[in-house]
Amino acid sequence: MKNLSCGAATMALIFPMILGVPVAAAQEAPSEDRAGEDKDAKARSVDTVGINDIIVTADRRSTRLQETPLAITAFDDAVVERARIQSVSDLVPRIPGFSISSVGRSRLNPALRGGSSALSAPGSDQAVALFVDEIYYGSSGDFDLDLFDIERVEVLRGPQGTLNGRNSTGGSISIVTKDPTADLEGAVEVALGNYDLVQARGYVSRALNDSETLLGSIAFTTSDRSGTSYNRYLDRDIDTLGRTSIRGKLKMLMSEDTSFLLAGDYRSVDETGEARKFIGGSPDANGYVSDPDPRVTDQFSNGGYRSKSWGVSGKFEHNFDMGQLVSISAFRKARSTEQPGDQLGQGPLIFGYAEPRKLDQFTQEVRFASDFDGPLDFVGGVFFLYQNEERDISWYWQHDPGTLAGVYQAFFFCQPDQGDPGDFANYDAVVPSCLANRPELFEPGTANWFQHSNVYSYAAFLQATYELTPEITLTAGGRYTIDKKSVEGYVSGDLNFALNAFENPGFRGTAGGFGVDKKSKRWTAFTPRFTIDWKPTDDLMFYATVARGYRSGAFQIEADPAVPALEPEFVWNYEAGFKSRFLDNRVQLNVTAFNAQYSNLQFQFTDESGNSSVSNAGKARVRGVETELTVSPVPGLSLGANYAYQKGRVTNIPEATGIPNGINTAQTPKHSLNLTGLYEAGLANGGVVTFSADWQYKSEYSLELNEDPAFFSRTPGLLNGSIAYETPNGDWQFTLWGKNLTNKNVVIYGNDLRFFSYSFGEAFNPFDPRFDPAKAGSKIVRYAEPRTYGVTARLSF
């Protein structure tokens, strides 16, 4: 902690010198003349009234957000900095209907409009696609990236099957970082907060030669924080933070019409595992009693997560008289290691896993965007993706003979004559001879489920817009995709693991487990989009869209080598809405209504044995309305309200899953409400004080396609806020900030692992005298971060 704290502070002090900025000059009081120049250049006016425009590139062209006929939520760099949006999870409070569940650091599952990304196997696609500087980030572990040096964030709601680099069914998130500039600019900041937070962030950009044809920039972020929960069993903190990211860019202006941007990034993470809180009655087997504090847990291991990743990309642009040619090549490499993290949170009762991954990925996109004088324009191109990914799940357990899991152990390995495992009334104890003859069944054991996947994806896309009249525009496009995926793997480890025997009868008695020979499959899809928009005035646009989304098939073989490939998921989205500004640019109201019709919905669920499985459902329907309101009534004041109503229904679910038909789609809160407020006040000395707050509410929803209460979450009212002071010349800013100020315990993942804690009579049989409803309703949950607060000092130059 001390080493990183000193390093962060040192980096913050020397960073302005990286590209030749003299720190002493930045810190000295400027002369009277210079102070006036700085004030004119940097000071912000807070006397204007109105709503600023945001330029987006969702259609691969630069257009005003209010003139783009898509359901988009966008934030500029000022909002990102003020709201401390430093991760994808920080976007949740500001996007209607958006939610994220998080099994662990290597698996974040975002969801939009019923499209949920719970699949975790290598090679599986996300329902919500992620792009950083137009580069596709395809693994479930990619959503745990650091956001820094941000120019803009664009969140497209609904399926994106035409232009956006890779198909998605729920939506896509596009992170745009800052490109180098010729003028010297930059900033560096240091933050201190509770839980011993020390953070340093910064960027600097300038021309690297006199002719200003070579531009460079470098940005970094480094954070260190103690754990936000306490592991009473080990007397240590858990859920620590320790990560550093850096990004560099070189832009070569080869001619007036040609440029090449070379970018590279590196990221390192070294943190504990996640805190998991056991909630339920005291088990008879070990008499464990949970601490009532939600931030105090008892885990046999804190686990551990380490990862290193880096990437390099090249973007070539050339402007012709008739349009622009763009080529983007990118390679990414990621490696993570994990120590098994406890899933039960009951101290000596042991069941844990780790999920290390390896990823190598190459993408190539070439596209051309026309710039004709007439009513017709188009964007077209090709896309290629290669992905090589591995996952090696490590299980670690010790079954207690007084639990149902211990009885399963005995049934499969030493007392099969006792009866059918489904006949629970006669199967609630381990016979003494089994304990005497096979003690290793109740000692610690390990197993590995390894899976290796290769993905080849090819796509061609074309989208055209035609102005039927000056007010009416028609957009039509499509994407044809070919996906080929292959998989191989194995299961190995100790034989005394009932899940192996239960799910894979061939595993019993077979030393070394089983192997899965290489499997492969090919899928194709055509995903069109049709949009018509009408602009009766400059401040009002109506639009209607029909679009198809696609998520390709996948393999998940660790539970059973005979499981067939998961088939592709498709969605037809029917959408209509309007975007408007009125009252002299003081009110902005955007409303969208949608009807998403899914087929072959891909989902991951937890079966009655606690094992994670995947399947396709027949159909799903999600209907909803999204409303975004922004009001700027007086100078310096901006108010916002985003509301989303969603209602999902899944039918034709395979009977073997045990999930009833008519259930709501996963991660689909019926009501989501986000309120924001900003007030800037100018002071007599020329400085500016800014008050900012946002509040989030989400009604109850399930994190998986499951009716078990262990998988339910809600956000009852989460408040973030900040107070900032900016000096008259705009050089310095000091901010007091807080997140989750109401200290709500928001569940971001849950498990129902009763069978590892209780006997059948305690938690499953209501006719047994030992039955306890508190035990029957037990769960293990992972919470989002508690209340955090701190101060930040920022120097801009």
Side-chain angles (χ1 to χ4, degrees):
M1 174 71 183
K2 291 182 179 179
N3 290 338
L4 183 54
S5 301
C6 294
T10 301
M11 185 175 287
L13 290 173
I14 68 171
F15 186 67
M17 300 176 63
I18 293 177
L19 292 183
V21 183
V23 175
Q27 294 176 334
E28 292 175 356
S31 66
E32 184 176 345
D33 293 340
R34 181 59 182 167
E37 294 174 6
D38 286 346
K39 185 173 181 179
D40 292 339
K42 295 183 180 181
R44 294 184 296 105
S45 172
V46 296
D47 296 327
T48 58
V49 180
I51 300 169
N52 294 328
D53 283 325
I54 296 180
I55 303 300
V56 297
T57 56
D59 269 340
R60 296 300 185 244
R61 299 178 184 276
S62 295
T63 58
R64 290 178 58 240
L65 175 64
Q66 288 299 102
E67 294 181 345
T68 305
L70 290 169
I72 309 175
T73 302
F75 315 109
D76 59 18
D77 58 342
V79 174
V80 170
E81 292 171 11
R82 186 169 56 247
R84 286 183 64 83
I85 297 175
Q86 300 180 357
S87 68
V88 176
S89 297
D90 288 335
L91 295 171
V92 172
R94 291 179 169 265
I95 300 170
F98 183 47
S99 64
I100 291 181
S101 69
S102 178
V103 180
R105 286 169 171 77
S106 61
R107 198 195 305 179
L108 274 72
N109 306 319
L112 266 170
R113 293 187 175 182
S116 173
S117 303
L119 302 185
S120 59
S124 57
D125 294 335
Q126 305 303 302
V128 179
L130 176 65
F131 301 88
V132 179
D133 292 330
E134 302 184 65
I135 298 166
Y136 176 63
Y137 279 47
S139 173
S140 62
D142 286 334
F143 285 83
D144 186 38
L145 82 165
D146 301 314
L147 302 187
F148 63 107
D149 190 30
I150 302 299
E151 177 181 310
R152 186 175 67 257
V153 177
E154 301 176 16
V155 180
L156 285 72
R157 308 188 299 274
Q160 307 301 317
T162 306
L163 293 181
N164 283 282
R166 185 69 173 153
N167 296 288
S168 65
T169 53
S172 68
I173 301 171
S174 176
I175 310 296
V176 182
T177 65
K178 295 177 180 178
D179 278 351
T181 57
D183 295 332
L184 173 64
E185 65 175 47
V188 62
E189 67 178 41
V190 174
L192 302 176
N194 62 332
Y195 298 106
D196 302 318
L197 172 70
V198 178
Q199 183 183 72
R201 300 161 66 88
Y203 78 95
V204 65
S205 176
R206 63 172 293 175
L208 301 180
N209 60 1
D210 293 338
S211 60
E212 297 187 346
T213 57
L214 182 63
L215 315 179
S217 67
I218 188 168
F220 78 95
T221 177
T222 179
S223 303
D224 190 8
R225 188 188 63 196
S226 300
T228 54
S229 290
Y230 170 66
N231 186 349
R232 184 176 61 170
Y233 186 72
L234 296 179
D235 190 24
R236 296 181 198 165
D237 289 339
I238 189 172
D239 258 333
T240 63
L241 184 70
R243 49 185 60 192
T244 298
S245 297
I246 187 168
R247 179 188 301 112
K249 293 186 178 182
L250 285 175
K251 188 169 187 178
M252 291 165 271
L253 304 177
M254 303 161 68
S255 72
E256 195 173 308
D257 297 314
T258 307
S259 67
F260 180 75
L261 178 68
L262 179 66
D265 63 88
Y266 174 80
R267 179 173 185 261
S268 176
V269 178
D270 186 356
E271 300 169 348
T272 67
E274 303 83 25
R276 300 184 190 275
K277 180 68 177 180
F278 170 77
I279 301 172
S282 178
D284 290 348
N286 59 14
Y288 170 76
V289 178
S290 176
D291 190 291
D293 188 333
R295 300 293 171 174
V296 175
T297 185
D298 293 275
Q299 297 176 250
F300 78 88
S301 168
N302 269 3
Y305 178 75
R306 293 183 178 182
S307 74
K308 294 185 184 297
S309 60
W310 60 269
V312 61
S313 64
K315 182 178 182 180
F316 174 82
E317 295 179 289
H318 181 76
N319 295 316
F320 298 92
D321 290 339
M322 59 184 300
Q324 183 185 55
L325 177 68
V326 177
S327 173
I328 303 174
S329 308
F331 176 78
R332 296 186 54 247
K333 188 183 188 77
R335 300 289 185 269
S336 69
T337 59
E338 289 191 50
Q339 297 175 1
D342 187 357
Q343 302 296 297
L344 298 180
Q346 297 173 54
L349 201 61
I350 295 173
F351 182 69
Y353 89 105
E355 194 176 4
R357 293 175 181 264
K358 294 181 180 180
L359 173 71
D360 296 299
Q361 178 180 291
F362 174 77
T363 56
Q364 174 66 57
E365 179 171 328
V366 179
R367 67 173 185 266
F368 182 81
S370 69
D371 185 14
F372 299 146
D373 293 331
L376 175 68
D377 269 308
F378 71 88
V379 178
V382 293
F383 174 79
F384 170 73
L385 162 72
Y386 168 72
Q387 192 178 81
N388 182 345
E389 187 174 9
E390 296 178 0
R391 181 180 65 169
D392 189 5
I393 299 179
S394 301
W395 295 98
Y396 184 72
W397 70 89
Q398 184 173 4
H399 293 301
D400 192 308
T403 65
L404 183 56
V407 172
Y408 267 121
Q409 285 282 87
F411 173 82
F412 284 109
F413 296 109
C414 70
Q415 56 182 77
D417 296 333
Q418 178 154 339
D420 189 324
D423 185 13
F424 295 112
N426 298 314
Y427 199 70
D428 200 30
V430 177
V431 297
S433 61
C434 180
L435 292 173
N437 298 329
R438 295 293 304 276
E440 75 278 6
L441 295 178
F442 308 99
E443 296 174 355
T446 60
N448 287 83
W449 294 353
F450 174 80
Q451 183 171 338
H452 172 219
S453 177
N454 280 313
V455 177
Y456 294 87
S457 181
Y458 311 84
F461 56 91
L462 178 66
Q463 178 172 292
T465 58
Y466 187 80
E467 291 186 0
L468 299 176
T469 71
E471 296 81 23
I472 300 175
T473 301
L474 178 66
T475 301
R479 186 184 194 94
Y480 185 76
T481 303
I482 302 173
D483 287 323
K484 183 179 179 181
K485 298 185 178 182
S486 62
V487 65
E488 56 188 345
Y490 62 82
V491 172
S492 66
D494 296 331
L495 297 182
N496 60 338
F497 189 14
L499 285 181
N500 287 325
F502 185 67
E503 297 296 332
N504 308 290
F507 186 88
R508 180 169 34 176
T510 306
F514 63 81
V516 178
D517 294 333
K518 187 174 183 179
K519 299 180 179 183
S520 62
K521 195 162 185 178
R522 179 177 178 270
W523 297 277
T524 62
F526 177 64
T527 49
R529 171 195 167 194
F530 304 96
T531 300
I532 186 169
D533 63 83
W534 174 44
K535 303 183 184 70
T537 69
D538 291 340
D539 295 324
L540 178 62
M541 179 182 70
F542 297 92
Y543 68 95
T545 292
V546 178
R548 192 186 196 205
Y550 154 77
R551 182 156 55 140
S552 71
F555 293 93
Q556 185 146 319
I557 62 172
E558 67 266 14
D560 187 344
V563 169
L566 201 63
E567 290 304 312
E569 173 182 294
F570 290 93
V571 58
W572 278 103
N573 181 57
Y574 306 90
E575 181 175 320
F578 67 85
K579 298 186 176 185
S580 64
R581 279 198 186 162
F582 48 93
L583 295 182
D584 195 23
N585 196 37
R586 298 187 184 204
V587 179
Q588 177 174 294
L589 177 63
N590 299 339
V591 178
T592 303
F594 67 91
N595 183 351
Q597 303 280 354
Y598 288 85
S599 60
N600 269 350
L601 181 74
Q602 296 178 0
F603 66 96
Q604 185 162 328
F605 65 98
T606 302
D607 62 24
E608 295 178 352
S609 299
N611 197 27
S612 182
S613 302
V614 297
S615 185
N616 287 104
K619 295 180 179 180
R621 181 195 68 206
V622 183
R623 295 173 177 172
V625 178
E626 299 161 342
T627 302
E628 297 178 289
L629 173 67
T630 303
V631 181
S632 179
V634 296
L637 179 62
S638 177
L639 303 173
N642 296 342
Y643 170 73
Y645 170 85
Q646 302 176 105
K647 188 174 182 180
R649 176 180 170 84
V650 186
T651 57
N652 297 339
I653 303 174
E655 185 175 348
T657 66
I659 300 173
N661 278 299
I663 193 173
N664 191 19
T665 48
Q667 290 183 246
T668 311
K670 191 172 184 178
H671 302 283
S672 300
L673 176 62
N674 306 321
L675 303 177
T676 60
L678 170 71
Y679 180 66
E680 294 182 315
L683 303 179
N685 68 348
V688 177
V689 175
T690 302
F691 302 88
S692 176
D694 60 79
W695 183 85
Q696 175 195 5
Y697 167 82
K698 278 184 170 58
S699 59
E700 189 176 67
Y701 62 98
S702 178
L703 297 166
E704 289 190 2
L705 200 65
N706 199 314
E707 288 190 321
D708 192 320
F711 298 93
F712 277 76
S713 180
R714 64 189 294 264
T715 305
L718 190 149
L719 177 67
N720 305 316
S722 67
I723 302 173
Y725 170 70
E726 186 176 294
T727 57
N729 60 11
D731 286 343
W732 286 94
Q733 185 180 71
F734 303 94
T735 304
L736 174 66
W737 51 266
K739 303 180 79 170
N740 190 9
L741 291 171
T742 47
N743 204 27
K744 301 298 184 181
N745 298 312
V746 179
V747 176
I748 55 176
Y749 198 73
N751 284 322
D752 178 1
L753 299 173
R754 286 175 291 165
F755 55 95
F756 281 107
S757 304
Y758 306 107
S759 68
F760 175 70
E762 286 179 87
F764 297 89
N765 185 4
F767 303 103
D768 192 294
R770 296 170 299 166
F771 180 78
D772 184 346
K775 299 176 182 180
S778 70
K779 55 187 176 182
I780 299 96
V781 300
R782 183 183 177 204
Y783 291 118
E785 291 186 353
R787 178 191 296 120
T788 56
Y789 52 85
V791 293
T792 300
R794 179 182 179 90
L795 169 65
S796 300
F797 48 86

